[in-house]
Amino acid sequence: KSKKKSIMKKILLTTFFLIAAFTTQSQNIFGKWHSTNEDTGEVDSVIEVYKKNGKAFAKVIEIKNPMRKNAVCDLCSEENKNKPVLGLNILTGLEKNGEEWSGGKILDPRNGKVYKCYIKLENENKLKIRGFIGFSLIGKTAYWTRAL
């Protein structure tokens, strides 16, 4: 009888840890995301959101259009001027604040502009990115979908 209890405990513990790991993973902003071109509706790049020193960052890890693979950020200024878009950090220094990550900046390589931003997980496969100048009412929202 105690052998059965021991086996049941192990099964329950294993199940609990699997559910906890899956739930944590599915509510995570970190990982690979598809960025969609707002004009064409096509996925134009893959962005990887990663954590460094407790903050969220993101970089371009894939460019879908073969003609743009070697594109540089010619409209960027300062340290990003003429850097390859592939590998470029576009999200920097966001800190967790409740349900969202904020306090950082986002770079739009298409126009070279840097905006304040926040990101928030809408659901396990949809990430809301809000870029703005000044305060968040005046800005633009984009949605990235999880790259599976």
Side-chain angles (χ1 to χ4, degrees), residues 81-99:
K81 179 87 174 146
N82 293 320
K83 270 194 177 175
V85 173
L86 189 61
L88 193 64
N89 269 308
I90 60 167
L91 259 180
T92 55
L94 281 87
E95 295 181 11
K96 187 152 179 52
N97 183 5
E99 292 290 308

Side-chain angles (χ1 to χ4, degrees), residues 74-123:
D74 52 356
L75 297 174
C76 288
S77 60
E78 299 171 18
E79 74 270 4
N80 290 320
K81 179 87 174 146
N82 293 320
K83 270 194 177 175
V85 173
L86 189 61
L88 193 64
N89 269 308
I90 60 167
L91 259 180
T92 55
L94 281 87
E95 295 181 11
K96 187 152 179 52
N97 183 5
E99 292 290 308
E100 66 182 38
W101 290 74
S102 58
K105 297 190 185 303
I106 187 164
L107 164 67
D108 184 344
R110 291 181 192 96
N111 64 20
K113 293 185 179 168
V114 177
Y115 305 95
K116 292 179 182 177
C117 78
Y118 71 84
I119 61 176
K120 183 179 178 184
L121 203 60
E122 292 283 298
N123 63 50

Side-chain angles (χ1 to χ4, degrees), residues 31-37 42-49 58-65 69 85-88 90 110 144-148:
K32 295 176 182 167
W33 297 89
H34 286 142
S35 174
T36 305
N37 181 309
E42 300 284 320
V43 170
D44 63 1
S45 60
V46 179
I47 312 296
E48 182 175 22
V49 179
K59 63 183 172 185
V60 179
I61 61 167
E62 184 181 342
I63 297 172
K64 297 290 187 177
N65 181 344
K69 296 256 187 224
V85 173
L86 189 61
L88 193 64
I90 60 167
R110 291 181 192 96
W144 294 347
T145 54
R146 193 174 294 277
L148 303 174

Side-chain angles (χ1 to χ4, degrees), residues 21-30 33 96 99 101 121 123-124 146:
F22 179 74
T23 302
T24 303
Q25 176 62 29
S26 67
Q27 295 180 0
N28 197 335
I29 65 164
F30 303 107
W33 297 89
K96 187 152 179 52
E99 292 290 308
W101 290 74
L121 203 60
N123 63 50
E124 66 183 70
R146 193 174 294 277

